């Protein structure tokens, strides 16, 4: 393999960029600490006073010691439900834990947030966790402590295909596919929510705090006039020793979680996908300084190979068609010992040969997908599927090339080829939004709609149909068609539209809506990608790769 040339990372511009993004990460870290606090310290203490651990304490007790918990969806519901006091992290903790060395999906209701009630985005977050478990054949543990559906928003969570009931549908599918599900009833579990733990393969309940019933005491009294306390209606003794609905009961949270850990240790080891591996090696340049490559101004160019030098083991990169379709960089390398196929947008301005002479060249704008680069990307995705190499997409794309020349050159046809190949890819796909992600470029580079196993964003990410300048001018022209305004008012309106549009391009906006699984520190990219590949390797199935009808 060729080794990416090492360059100095101490020049003033690099250090300025690194300092800027480290500052952004510090701000994000402070905001994330608030999100992790859920309902706040006072709510934590109330939960502990009832003999209960907090959701995050439960997750920590489940994880192997000193093994990091890969949290997903932390920003879910950020900025939502403010009229109800907000719902930090959508009131549920979700992520990947290592339990006796095995990757395990964890879903833990945070009872300090509206008693663990399900908001619409809570539902979307839980469904995403189940999707990850199913796609990667990972066992899943539900730590249930929830008052059920948040009733003021019941019409947004109850009856539709991707609503509350879909979680129980997924319970059934996961079990049928042999994906093990464990549930612990560690607080209230009411009404339809009772199906989630009982449709799991095995269920536990904690005495004194755990309860499960289709109708709580208040509803029972209203429906049939019977007065009964919660513990007698559906407490641990009733549901474990009398009804037999639950399999195990425990005196407290700690003993319940310890038993779950011991049972998970006994699960048969999964068959692993045969992805190529070799001993991990350090990257050519320090992984913790990769943010220095990214310009503060997203419109500025940079060489994508510099990113790869910080990502790939020893900078080894077997580049594919290096001098063809240069606005996309493709090639194979290794990340923490895992073989990967890289598809990355090239943000530097490059030239391509258009004829046989040395002077027959034209400049290509960085970040734009041209016909030749789309053709190259499609072909490379096909090759990785043929070889069984997982794909890593690094997005910093402003879209496909437009204009008369591009249209006459068949840009739509070539773009469709790449989109088709990505959509039908059967090897695991992992996507990272490094910078811009605009328009159909988002699709071609495996955005959320194209089924990546995991999708992450850097703080530098910007996700939108088009850039803020183009979008705000387009929106302004539409508004101006309906009325006449002066130049001053026009400028003010343009600035107002731009600010609102730019706010919607922020990675926190995307993460709040679960368009991405997490906003990650660029320095942690190698470890996060490696962890994601380890999860993907739990599913050895790889159906034949085939595409639909393509225009040639």
């Amino acid at each position: 393999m060729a080794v990416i040339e090492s360059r100095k990372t101490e020049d003033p511009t690099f250090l300025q960029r690194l300092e800027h993004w480290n500052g952004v990460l510090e701000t994000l870290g402070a905001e994330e600490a608030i999100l992790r606090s859920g309902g706040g310290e006072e709510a934590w203490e109330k939960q502990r006073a009832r003999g209960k651990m907090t959701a995050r304490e439960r997750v920590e007790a489940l994880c192997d010691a000193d093994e990091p918990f890969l949290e997903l969806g932390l920003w879910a519901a950020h900025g939502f439900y403010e009229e109800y006091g907000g719902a930090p992290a959508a009131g549920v903790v979700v992520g990947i834990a290592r339990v006796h060395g095995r990757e395990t999906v964890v879903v833990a209701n945070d009872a300090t947030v509206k008693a663990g009630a399900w908001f619409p985005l809570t539902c979307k977050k839980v469904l995403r966790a189940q999707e990850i478990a199913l796609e990667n054949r990972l066992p899943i543990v539900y730590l249930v402590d929830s008052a059920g559906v948040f009733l003021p928003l019941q019409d947004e969570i109850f009856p539709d295909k991707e609503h509350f009931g879909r979680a129980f549908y997924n319970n059934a599918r996961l079990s049928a596919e042999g994906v093990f599900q464990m549930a612990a009833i560690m607080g209230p579990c009411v009404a339809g929510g009772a199906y989630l733990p009982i449709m799991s393969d095995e269920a536990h309940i904690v005495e004194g705090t755990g309860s499960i019933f289709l109708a709580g005491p208040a509803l029972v009294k209203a429906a049939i006039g019977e007065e009964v306390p919660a513990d007698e209606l559906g407490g641990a003794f009733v549901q474990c020793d009398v009804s037999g609905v639950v399999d195990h009961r425990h005196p407290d949270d700690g003993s319940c979680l310890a038993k779950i850990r011991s049972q998970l240790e006994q699960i048969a080891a999964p068959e692993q996908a045969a992805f190529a591996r070799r001993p991990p090696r350090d990257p050519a340049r320090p992984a913790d300084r990769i943010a220095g490559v990214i310009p503060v101004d997203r419109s500025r160019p940079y060489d994508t190979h510099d990113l790869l030098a910080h990502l790939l083991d020893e900078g080894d990169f077997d580049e594919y068609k290096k001098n063809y379709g240069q606005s996309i960089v493709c090639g194979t390398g290794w990340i923490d010992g895992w073989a990967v196929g890289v598809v990355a947008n090239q943000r530097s301005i490059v030239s391509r040969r258009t004829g046989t002479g040395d002077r027959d060249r034209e400049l290509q704008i960085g970040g734009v997908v041209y016909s030749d680069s789309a053709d190259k990307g499609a072909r490379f995705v096909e090759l990785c599927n043929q070889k069984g190499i997982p794909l890593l997409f690094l997005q910093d794309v402003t879209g496909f090339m437009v204009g008369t020349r591009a249209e006459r050159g068949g840009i739509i046809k070539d773009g469709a080829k790449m989109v088709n190949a990505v959509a039908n890819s059967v090897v695991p796909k992992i996507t990272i939004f490094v910078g811009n992600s605009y328009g159909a470029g988002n699709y071609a580079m495996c955005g959320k709609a194209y089924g990546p196993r995991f999708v992450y964003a850097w703080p530098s990410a910007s996700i939108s149909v088009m850039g803020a300048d183009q979008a705000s001018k387009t929106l302004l022209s539409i508004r101006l068609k309906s009325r006449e305004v002066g130049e001053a008012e026009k400028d003010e309106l343009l600035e107002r539209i731009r600010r609102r549009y730019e706010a919607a391009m922020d990675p926190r906006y995307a993460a709040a809506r679960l368009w991405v699984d997490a906003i990650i520190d660029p320095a942690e990219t190698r470890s996060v990608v490696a962890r994601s590949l380890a999860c993907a390797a739990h599913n050895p199935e790889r159906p034949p790769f085939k595409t639909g009808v393509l225009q040639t």
Side-chain angles (χ1 to χ4, degrees):
M1 279 192 175
V3 177
I4 298 172
E5 179 186 353
S6 183
R7 298 181 183 177
K8 292 182 179 180
T9 57
E10 299 299 331
D11 66 85
T13 300
F14 182 94
L15 294 175
Q16 183 183 26
R17 292 172 176 176
L18 185 62
E19 182 181 6
H20 170 82
W21 293 119
N22 284 341
V24 172
L25 285 165
E26 187 175 338
T27 300
L28 287 175
E31 293 177 351
E32 289 182 342
I34 295 172
L35 295 176
R36 289 191 175 95
S37 70
E41 189 67 35
E42 186 177 340
W44 290 0
E45 293 309 318
K46 286 181 180 178
Q47 181 139 328
R48 291 173 183 139
R50 292 195 290 267
K52 299 165 68 174
M53 301 165 71
T54 67
R56 293 183 182 279
E57 288 170 342
R58 290 166 177 167
V59 171
E60 185 179 358
L62 197 63
C63 292
D64 292 347
D66 301 322
E67 288 286 357
F69 176 63
L70 178 56
E71 184 162 2
L72 307 175
L74 174 60
W75 288 89
H78 177 62
F80 283 76
Y81 318 126
E82 298 297 335
E83 64 271 39
Y84 305 108
V92 62
V93 180
V94 165
I96 312 292
R98 279 208 181 106
V99 183
H100 293 291
R102 182 163 178 167
E103 305 291 357
T104 304
V105 178
V106 179
V107 177
N109 298 115
D110 186 349
T112 70
V113 179
K114 295 293 186 294
W118 285 50
F119 289 80
L121 279 163
T122 312
C123 187
K124 186 174 182 179
K125 186 170 173 178
V126 173
L127 296 183
R128 174 60 178 150
Q130 292 178 318
E131 180 182 41
I132 289 170
L134 183 60
E135 284 187 329
N136 299 287
R137 298 297 189 271
L138 301 178
I140 182 168
V141 176
Y142 308 99
L143 305 179
V144 183
D145 191 350
S146 171
V149 167
F150 186 67
L151 289 178
L153 297 174
Q154 63 84 26
D155 61 326
E156 297 180 37
I157 190 174
F158 170 62
D160 210 346
K161 180 179 178 181
E162 300 301 327
H163 283 178
F164 196 47
R166 192 71 176 189
F168 320 135
Y169 171 90
N170 287 343
N171 277 141
R173 291 183 60 226
L174 283 158
S175 187
E177 290 289 332
V179 178
F180 183 72
Q181 299 173 91
M182 182 81 82
I185 302 158
M186 311 183 85
C189 186
V190 187
Y195 287 108
L196 187 141
I198 303 310
M199 291 188 70
S200 297
D201 299 307
E202 197 163 2
H204 301 250
I205 191 168
V206 177
E207 298 167 6
T209 57
S211 60
I212 178 169
F213 29 62
L214 289 181
L219 183 54
V220 168
K221 182 178 179 180
I224 63 174
E226 181 183 1
E227 293 191 36
V228 58
D231 203 48
E232 289 185 25
L233 181 64
F237 177 78
V238 170
Q239 297 291 27
C240 192
D241 295 40
V242 179
S243 71
V245 166
V246 180
D247 302 307
H248 313 276
R249 62 183 172 96
H250 308 276
D252 51 46
D253 284 7
S255 58
C256 177
L257 293 165
K259 176 57 72 173
I260 290 174
R261 278 186 53 83
S262 70
Q263 290 179 326
L264 289 173
E265 186 179 16
Q266 297 170 339
I267 300 175
E271 184 182 350
Q272 295 280 306
F275 302 137
R277 293 214 63 187
R278 73 179 192 185
R281 300 169 190 173
D282 290 334
R285 302 179 211 164
D288 61 358
R289 297 174 70 80
I290 190 172
V293 176
I294 303 299
V296 176
D297 179 352
R298 294 186 180 97
S299 66
R300 303 292 298 172
Y302 63 89
D303 190 348
T304 299
H305 295 90
D306 290 338
L307 282 183
L308 300 180
H310 291 272
L311 283 178
L312 301 177
D313 291 7
E314 295 187 331
D316 285 353
F317 187 55
D318 188 5
E319 189 162 359
Y320 176 73
K321 293 189 175 181
K322 180 177 180 179
N323 297 315
Y324 174 74
Q326 295 178 66
S327 70
I328 285 183
V329 174
C330 299
T332 52
W334 305 83
I335 290 182
D336 200 41
W338 293 91
V340 292
V342 176
V343 181
N345 301 109
Q346 175 58 282
R347 284 306 311 271
S348 65
I349 298 173
V350 297
S351 64
R352 68 169 182 173
R353 180 170 293 177
T354 59
T356 56
D358 289 339
R359 295 182 181 179
D360 295 331
R361 293 180 177 272
E362 69 172 6
L363 293 181
Q364 290 190 337
I365 303 169
V368 176
V369 180
Y370 291 80
S371 284
D372 54 357
S373 48
D375 174 69
K376 167 179 159 180
R379 171 76 175 169
F380 182 73
V381 167
E382 290 176 329
L383 280 174
C384 285
N385 276 271
Q386 186 79 343
K387 296 176 179 179
I389 302 175
L391 285 161
L392 174 64
F393 291 85
L394 301 176
Q395 281 208 25
D396 195 344
V397 56
T398 53
F400 284 87
M401 191 58 188
V402 296
T404 305
R405 183 170 182 176
E407 296 294 352
R408 293 182 179 182
I411 186 67
I412 298 175
K413 173 188 66 178
D414 291 315
K417 280 195 282 189
M418 185 173 179
V419 167
N420 198 313
V422 171
N424 286 293
S425 175
V426 295
V427 295
K429 299 172 289 190
I430 298 168
T431 299
I432 296 177
F433 294 104
V434 170
N436 301 315
S437 178
Y438 298 159
N442 172 284
Y443 305 152
M445 293 294 293
C446 198
K448 184 70 178 289
Y450 282 75
R453 295 281 184 94
F454 296 92
V455 53
Y456 306 103
W458 284 3
S460 50
S462 173
I463 305 168
S464 180
V465 170
M466 62 183 76
D469 285 341
Q470 300 94 319
S472 49
K473 289 174 183 176
T474 302
L475 290 168
L476 179 65
S477 66
I478 293 171
R479 289 200 182 185
L480 293 180
K481 285 181 180 179
S482 61
R483 62 191 181 101
E484 297 263 341
V485 299
E487 286 301 315
E489 186 181 355
K490 185 188 297 184
D491 292 341
E492 182 184 349
L493 184 58
L494 178 62
E495 184 58 28
R496 196 160 62 241
I497 293 171
R498 189 199 310 277
R499 283 198 303 268
R500 188 166 62 249
Y501 200 87
E502 285 180 344
M505 296 165 66
D506 190 287
R508 288 169 289 194
Y509 188 94
R513 290 154 178 79
L514 294 169
W515 300 346
V516 299
D517 292 319
I519 301 173
I520 64 172
D521 182 344
E524 297 176 358
T525 302
R526 276 173 50 85
S527 61
V528 169
V529 169
R531 188 81 177 271
S532 302
L533 289 169
C535 290
H538 280 66
N539 184 357
E541 296 181 11
R542 184 160 61 92
F545 173 69
K546 54 187 179 181
T547 60
V549 177
L550 299 175
Q551 291 191 18
T552 57

